[in-house]
Amino acid sequence: MKNLIVTNNDRLLSVEAMMERYFKVVLVDGNLKEVVEISRNYLMADYQLAADPLSCRRERPTPYLTIILEPKNVQKDNTARDILSVEKFNAMFNANEKILGQIPEDHKKDFGLIDYSLTLAVCDKILSVLR
């Protein structure tokens, strides 16, 4: 099983093309809340967090969310902790839903680029461990 990148940032489709041996991108056509819900479903099944989704992020409104998951390690089952980690974004989304709807398109592109850069850095770190 490959690592999963669950995201609503379509820029990350290029990661799957670059690193298809290790990552599969699950592109969510929706907001942060939908990314959290889909990630939570994977967490309750056969995956765990590969990285802390709050790393390098401040709790501020952002239209993009990317969560990286890895196949579950049976000896280290942190399902409850992982679900709580991603659920923090639901609270952030609910608190900032109005603001998120008002972000200008050019700012959304900037947020997308930041999310893309952070995700690539994490993917590189994961690959360095796998190799």
Side-chain angles (χ1 to χ4, degrees):
M1 284 192 333
K2 295 180 185 182
N3 293 315
L4 296 180
I5 299 172
V6 182
T7 186
N8 63 340
N9 186 352
D10 61 358
R11 287 177 188 251
L12 287 161
L13 288 172
S14 66
V15 172
E16 186 173 23
M18 291 185 295
M19 303 178 221
E20 68 180 318
R21 183 172 170 203
Y22 301 101
F23 295 97
K24 177 181 181 346
V25 174
V26 177
L27 185 61
V28 177
D29 186 20
N31 57 31
L32 276 66
K33 190 172 192 163
E34 292 166 282
V35 172
V36 167
E37 290 170 358
I38 290 170
S39 297
R40 186 181 55 220
N41 292 341
Y42 281 112
L43 289 170
M44 289 189 293
D46 297 328
Y47 285 88
Q48 64 189 20
L49 288 176
D52 181 1
L54 290 170
S55 290
C56 301
R57 293 181 185 265
R58 295 186 186 161
E59 290 193 24
R60 67 171 100 163
T62 175
Y64 296 104
L65 176 59
T66 300
I67 298 176
I68 303 173
L69 305 170
E70 64 187 2
K72 193 172 280 185
N73 179 341
V74 189
Q75 287 131 6
K76 186 180 96 177
D77 187 0
N78 296 315
T79 303
R81 187 201 66 202
D82 289 353
I83 289 172
L84 287 174
S85 292
V86 298
E87 284 293 338
K88 289 178 184 178
F89 284 100
N90 266 341
M92 187 176 81
F93 174 77
N94 292 333
N96 297 301
E97 187 173 9
K98 185 176 180 183
I99 294 168
L100 289 169
Q102 298 171 348
I103 295 175
E105 204 55 44
D106 57 331
H107 291 172
K108 284 182 182 178
K109 289 180 182 178
D110 292 341
F111 279 116
L113 184 58
I114 291 167
D115 180 66
Y116 175 79
S117 297
L118 289 172
T119 303
L120 277 184
V122 173
C123 289
D124 283 343
K125 184 73 173 173
I126 290 169
L127 286 179
S128 71
V129 172
L130 292 175
R131 291 182 182 158

